[in-house]
Amino acid sequence: MIIVLKPDAPPEAARELLARIEEKGLTPLHMPGSERVVLGALGDERVLAELRLESNPYVESVKPILAPYKLVSRELRPEDSVVRIGRVGIGGEAFAVLAGPDAIEDEASLQETAQAVKSAGASVLRGGAFRSRISPYAFEGLGAEGLDILARTGRAAGMPVVTEALSEVQLEEVVAKADAVVIGARNMNNFPLLKAAAESGAAILLKRGLSATVEELLLAAEYLLHEGNDRVVLVERGVRTFETNAPAMLDLTAVPFIKRRSHLPVLVDPSNGTGRRELVAPMALAAAACGADGVLIDVHPAPPSARAGGAQALDHEAFRRLMRSLVPVVQAVGRSLA
Amino acid sequence: MIIVLKPDAPPEAARELLARIEEKGLTPLHMPGSERVVLGALGDERVLAELRLESNPYVESVKPILAPYKLVSRELRPEDSVVRIGRVGIGGEAFAVLAGPDAIEDEASLQETAQAVKSAGASVLRGGAFRSRISPYAFEGLGAEGLDILARTGRAAGMPVVTEALSEVQLEEVVAKADAVVIGARNMNNFPLLKAAAESGAAILLKRGLSATVEELLLAAEYLLHEGNDRVVLVERGVRTFETNAPAMLDLTAVPFIKRRSHLPVLVDPSNGTGRRELVAPMALAAAACGADGVLIDVHPAPPSARAGGAQALDHEAFRRLMRSLVPVVQAVGRSLA
Amino acid sequence: MIIVLKPDAPPEAARELLARIEEKGLTPLHMPGSERVVLGALGDERVLAELRLESNPYVESVKPILAPYKLVSRELRPEDSVVRIGRVGIGGEAFAVLAGPDAIEDEASLQETAQAVKSAGASVLRGGAFRSRISPYAFEGLGAEGLDILARTGRAAGMPVVTEALSEVQLEEVVAKADAVVIGARNMNNFPLLKAAAESGAAILLKRGLSATVEELLLAAEYLLHEGNDRVVLVERGVRTFETNAPAMLDLTAVPFIKRRSHLPVLVDPSNGTGRRELVAPMALAAAACGADGVLIDVHPAPPSARAGGAQALDHEAFRRLMRSLVPVVQAVGRSLA
Amino acid sequence: MIIVLKPDAPPEAARELLARIEEKGLTPLHMPGSERVVLGALGDERVLAELRLESNPYVESVKPILAPYKLVSRELRPEDSVVRIGRVGIGGEAFAVLAGPDAIEDEASLQETAQAVKSAGASVLRGGAFRSRISPYAFEGLGAEGLDILARTGRAAGMPVVTEALSEVQLEEVVAKADAVVIGARNMNNFPLLKAAAESGAAILLKRGLSATVEELLLAAEYLLHEGNDRVVLVERGVRTFETNAPAMLDLTAVPFIKRRSHLPVLVDPSNGTGRRELVAPMALAAAACGADGVLIDVHPAPPSARAGGAQALDHEAFRRLMRSLVPVVQAVGRSLA
């Protein structure tokens, strides 16, 4: 890392810092300029925190040279990781479609949706049992009952299933019954939950927080790998900006940006990422075009009567239309459906 | 609420919606215009979610008339709430200063800080035992041991203490030993944690999420009151924007905005809210000037050797200087130190 | 529009407002609820400003029912507009590629680039003569000389040319020599410039401002149409958010969002919209997949020695590779190159 | 500056860059690390642009050591600049209040406002003649006639006057008749306008753009000083974020941030910066508390009938109340009214 000293820093301050850098096993560098003294510390920057450079009153700024993540980076593992969710591999050449309702409402309707999305080309069934919600007056999901419905429906349809857990307790239940656990956007930095997910060994769909930078998403993934679980799939699901035409702004640029830096698979969620039914299909196509490894699509048999997420859900027919337009784009970029 | 129908909505769609509005006990209104048909639903808008209007294919937009929160609003309770943390009341005429280190490191140093901040005018001791961190390589706090140190130090100094809990398990420990629990910015929408905090009956410092609107902060507080706990103090601690000169942008306008709409007390955290030592004092003064009920200040005996938060911590002398400049401003707005 | 009155508004306030609404030729509506009185004004909401409702001390909020733009909307003109830039039509079935350097440096190098992009499939030559720059120490472009080089090169290559004007004086020169004028992101709300552009009758590429909502972009276009010039092409070029991995975040969702609401063509600029060479090609493909009518690509014979924009420019070979990967995606969505 | 090379950069790339750095008169540094080669260039970083380092295919990132501005910085001029607007000095010990209507409507009403704000303690009269507006359907101001009214009214009241110019033509008129020209937020990067303002020699109130970082505001001011005019006053007027409770978020932290880095005076505009009448007074007090050199306040004799800006304007009585609460805060920070 590079350490810029303040104009009034005395020579002793530089000497003391260089000594501390050396103590930590990094190579110290001294670059006295006409307007500022600059110090360098070459080596593993993860010891940065211990050096507490930002707190030093003579330090003007600290500039890292290396990315703050290691385990998720392509420098460590150049080839694409493929994460298995049941029999479906996420990452690699195939393009995966994970589909299902925002909130599971009852078994019959989920079965109907499972059949519809499977026959249209989806390979994984998703559905919400435990729901995050920003108002105490919104639907909180069927909970454990919903999870059971999901597991039975997936088994019957021959599809692996994924669903979200909001707490360590829920996580244990989800891991026991689903093929992958979703860490939602609001929990991307919920470290007790991340730790439990890592320790479970389950495949994890880690969603980008609403105001998380791509680097922070990669750091949260780094945390999971550091705790011993590398079955991690990243999910771009939109971020919060000044734009009010939709609840989130889908940051598709994150996809090629991450793919160049990390070996982890990246999915896109154009349903939550746009919040509007009419925008889901074009953004799913765009996700495929820019290199995503798959998409998560909110599907409900009758969106106008959905208990949650209805504004963004596709009905079965709209999902079939989406799949028909998606396949040519997937092929145009040299891939095929998982 | 106001429901704007799409240009192509048939008359039956309007009739059906009006019937559903009436069923829910709201007063339906029909306003046929030249370019759009507009419907109204007058009454308790909290049933909004059940009407699932956003999912209706003939609905163009839904515009609420009332705020989505009730229990936290001044319409329900016009006079200021005062929340007691130990013997200190937050809200009302007094201006409270809560001070202490970002991370508790050891008992001697915390005792020293407690004495320093108390003698300078602080009334509550804060300090981090369980820490949120965005990198696996950062300090995670002393945990339960830190909590014990905090409790003993507060007792010895005669100061109530507050600290953060990151999970339901930690929350139980914190509630047993501290006078108030902090729900951090990254957990503002962690509903299992909010529920546990509400059920504990403890005083809660609820921090605004990094990308939470003021309305969402009030909705998170509404959730706590709805679950039966009205000992809630709101904390503005900066939000995330495009500006890169600091890790967050302190949104002081939120203070008078909230004070007009809600009876809950509002604190400001200029330490986390600016992330830079040099900006803490001026923003603490600004917080007092615009009507905040107090401030949270990061204080450490020797910031350059702090294990966390050193870039924003004031040392004891800087804290004393801050207090000397703060008191005249507090008095200028007709208040006095708690 | 819907007008929500404050809880303490007296009946006279409502009566007076209803009278003013009627005077303006709108249909007034009175909806007294239990918690708020709500008024409605049905008709042309463009008189909204004259009613000055936001200033009324008894008005809590004003909610428009209709979009604030009319002339650019599909409700007025349902079929796609096609804007001709020289012999090339933007909009409709064809997908246009506009390519060239950020800053024109000399005639030989522009000729080389013109040949390269034309043979690879681009139909319009772009290049900067008058440059916007945020530092006084950056290159400001060749000015009038650059414009002459561009005009001559376009003529020789048989390609229409487009370039930016920053002021009314520059606009006159640009309109005399180029086939379309670019209004840059920093000038989207420069009304004297917009007015001059409208009056010139020239084809206009109107770029979205860095912090402009899609609605504001449509309002700026509305201004141009209202002043009598409907030869307007909208350009999504990225907006400013908290994300720091690139100078802007490309908001591709804006493309299908606008296409549903407006008849105007929409281009995407993945070069300025990502600011990084490596991200240009995937985002150009994504733009085509989600329905854009074309892309603007920054191309330079030798980006490392470019006087401006080098970080995002493709060299000729990279541009050819981009075109080879773009064509299958354009075809997959049922279109072909312009 | 510090230049980090990509992992695959060959030794020749480093050698070539070091040679180019030396050519430019900067001191080159070579720091080969285990994971990256890092180069340094010590000296005047304003030649950064000419080195075109960002475009080099072997360069991973470029990190400046020095701020990109010089002339506006305290390092060059440590003591506060005082900019005279007529007989009123902005900056230094005094706190200035500039007050008047968003849009000038007629002479009688402006005279009334001038008397009211002067007797309450304002020292400068502001008022809009040429107005920026985002909709073609909004009021565009009285133009040259408004400017004449402003000049006459200021003279009669013995107050210097300031008003905005939107174009080079308007600027000439404004400079001839007003004591300072306002460059509005939408024109902060309108370089032809900045150039004309610099050349006029007039005092300039430079408003921060809606999505401009503080560094970009300082760079725009640097441009003015670089063109030879140092009579520049910076204005914080709110920025655009995800928060929707007001049209802008007032970034008061910018005030102490700038005051530490630049010698230029800083004003705050809590009227445009909050967009809501009820928030103007508390934020004006906060501005004074955190070190601003003055405030701009929107005042209108009868806001409900104002042709523009009515939602944020204070009437004369509310302005008097604001001044009564502001004076004690100004004194609490050791200053007095200009």
Side-chain angles (χ1 to χ4, degrees), chain A residues 88-319:
Chain A
V88 178
I90 310 285
E93 186 269 342
F95 185 88
V97 177
L98 298 75
D102 187 18
I104 296 162
E105 294 173 5
D106 61 72
E107 192 145 3
S109 120
L110 188 65
Q111 285 172 343
E112 199 190 325
T113 294
Q115 290 310 329
V117 301
K118 190 182 184 187
S119 71
S123 53
V124 178
L125 182 65
R126 64 175 284 255
F130 303 103
R131 295 193 71 251
S132 187
R133 52 197 181 133
I134 60 162
S135 161
Y137 310 115
F139 178 46
E140 63 174 328
L142 294 183
E145 188 198 337
L147 183 57
D148 286 334
I149 291 175
L150 179 65
R152 281 198 300 271
T153 306
R155 218 159 31 234
M159 299 175 87
V161 300
V162 306
T163 194
E164 180 167 356
L166 302 173
S167 71
E168 297 157 73
V169 177
Q170 292 172 11
L171 186 115
E172 237 175 280
E173 301 180 53
V174 166
V175 165
K177 296 183 178 163
D179 300 281
V181 60
V182 176
I183 303 290
R186 291 175 205 284
N187 284 313
M188 191 196 87
N189 277 331
N190 181 338
F191 292 99
L193 187 62
L194 290 180
K195 197 179 175 95
E199 286 168 1
S200 76
I204 301 167
L205 269 57
L206 179 67
K207 290 192 153 185
R208 180 179 182 183
L210 270 167
S211 61
T213 61
V214 167
E215 182 169 299
E216 288 168 344
L217 173 62
L218 290 170
L219 274 171
E222 177 88 358
Y223 186 91
L224 295 169
L225 271 71
H226 187 252
E227 299 283 327
N229 186 344
D230 63 358
R231 301 182 60 202
V232 177
V233 176
L234 304 174
V235 184
E236 163 59 35
R237 53 79 70 224
V239 295
R240 185 161 275 188
T241 73
F242 64 86
E243 175 60 73
T244 53
N245 64 1
M249 183 181 285
L250 194 65
D251 178 19
L252 282 187
T253 311
V255 175
F257 186 90
I258 294 173
K259 294 301 283 182
R260 261 143 226 271
R261 280 156 190 78
S262 174
H263 53 83
L264 296 175
V266 181
L267 300 180
V268 169
D269 177 348
S271 301
N272 282 296
T274 66
R276 289 169 168 268
R277 188 180 306 132
E278 64 186 33
L279 302 173
V280 172
M283 297 319 286
L285 271 59
C290 71
D293 296 306
V295 286
L296 287 156
I297 306 289
D298 199 338
V299 180
H300 189 280
S305 60
R307 294 191 66 185
Q312 71 200 36
L314 300 185
D315 63 22
H316 296 171
E317 177 49 28
F319 180 72

Side-chain angles (χ1 to χ4, degrees), chain B residues 82-126:
Chain B
V82 176
V83 175
R84 302 218 79 81
I85 298 185
R87 52 162 190 76
V88 178
I90 310 286
E93 185 268 344
F95 185 88
V97 178
L98 298 76
D102 187 18
I104 296 163
E105 293 173 6
D106 60 73
E107 191 145 3
S109 121
L110 188 64
Q111 285 173 344
E112 200 191 324
T113 294
Q115 290 308 330
V117 301
K118 190 183 185 187
S119 73
S123 53
V124 178
L125 182 64
R126 66 176 282 255

Side-chain angles (χ1 to χ4, degrees), chain B residues 194-250:
Chain B
L194 290 180
K195 196 178 176 95
E199 285 168 1
S200 75
I204 300 167
L205 269 58
L206 178 67
K207 288 191 154 186
R208 180 178 181 183
L210 270 167
S211 61
T213 61
V214 167
E215 184 169 296
E216 288 168 345
L217 173 62
L218 290 169
L219 275 171
E222 178 88 357
Y223 185 91
L224 295 170
L225 271 72
H226 187 252
E227 297 284 326
N229 186 344
D230 64 357
R231 300 182 61 202
V232 177
V233 176
L234 305 173
V235 184
E236 161 60 33
R237 53 78 70 221
V239 294
R240 185 160 275 190
T241 73
F242 63 85
E243 175 60 74
T244 53
N245 63 2
M249 184 180 283
L250 195 65

